[in-house]
Amino acid sequence: MNKLLALCSLVIVVTVGCAGANVRPLVDMKGVNESAYEKDLSECQAYAQQQSGMGETAAKGAGAGAVVGGLLGLVTGGNKTGIAQAAGAGAVVGAAGGAFTGNQAQEAVVKRCLSGRGYKVLN
């Protein structure tokens, strides 16, 4: 069961994507010095890495999902196996949600940083 959960979590993390702090937003490059932009982008990505990312928020989501799933299994009168399966499913779903949220937060930092430096971020 643990191997299946680990495999499902890995598939979800890959599916959610790993851009996070390393995102390269779509920027209007008209009149922009490309070497200055690359330097600014690198600095903004470094700031974003300070924000909780995919791994940390995925772990928190997995813990919360496991608790909720386990409680649902208990409330619905499941046996030990059913409760464990519900907890495992909750952990996988929680991990996916946490990973997605962590990525979004890091991407937002990069985009706000670039906008603050005068770039026109298009996405």
Side-chain angles (χ1 to χ4, degrees), residues 23-34 36-38 40-42 44-45 107 109-123:
V23 67
R24 292 188 64 90
L26 183 59
V27 172
D28 183 353
M29 297 299 286
K30 185 174 183 177
V32 173
N33 178 320
E34 287 189 43
Y37 169 75
E38 289 299 326
D40 287 337
L41 175 62
S42 178
C44 290
Q45 289 171 336
E107 288 179 18
V109 169
V110 173
K111 291 175 182 180
R112 281 194 309 268
C113 178
L114 288 172
S115 292
R117 293 180 182 210
Y119 296 98
K120 186 175 180 182
V121 178
L122 303 174
N123 63 341

Side-chain angles (χ1 to χ4, degrees), residues 1-93:
M1 180 66 158
N2 289 337
K3 289 179 183 179
L4 178 61
L5 286 177
L7 179 62
C8 289
S9 295
L10 177 63
V11 168
I12 288 169
V13 167
V14 169
T15 302
V16 168
C18 302
N22 295 321
V23 67
R24 292 188 64 90
L26 183 59
V27 172
D28 183 353
M29 297 299 286
K30 185 174 183 177
V32 173
N33 178 320
E34 287 189 43
S35 63
Y37 169 75
E38 289 299 326
K39 181 178 181 287
D40 287 337
L41 175 62
S42 178
E43 289 173 2
C44 290
Q45 289 171 336
Y47 286 131
Q49 289 173 354
Q50 296 172 23
Q51 169 72 37
S52 293
M54 181 174 55
E56 185 176 327
T57 55
K60 288 178 185 177
V67 169
V68 171
L71 288 174
L72 285 174
L74 185 62
V75 169
T76 58
N79 58 19
K80 286 182 182 179
T81 303
I83 293 170
Q85 288 174 341
V92 171
V93 170

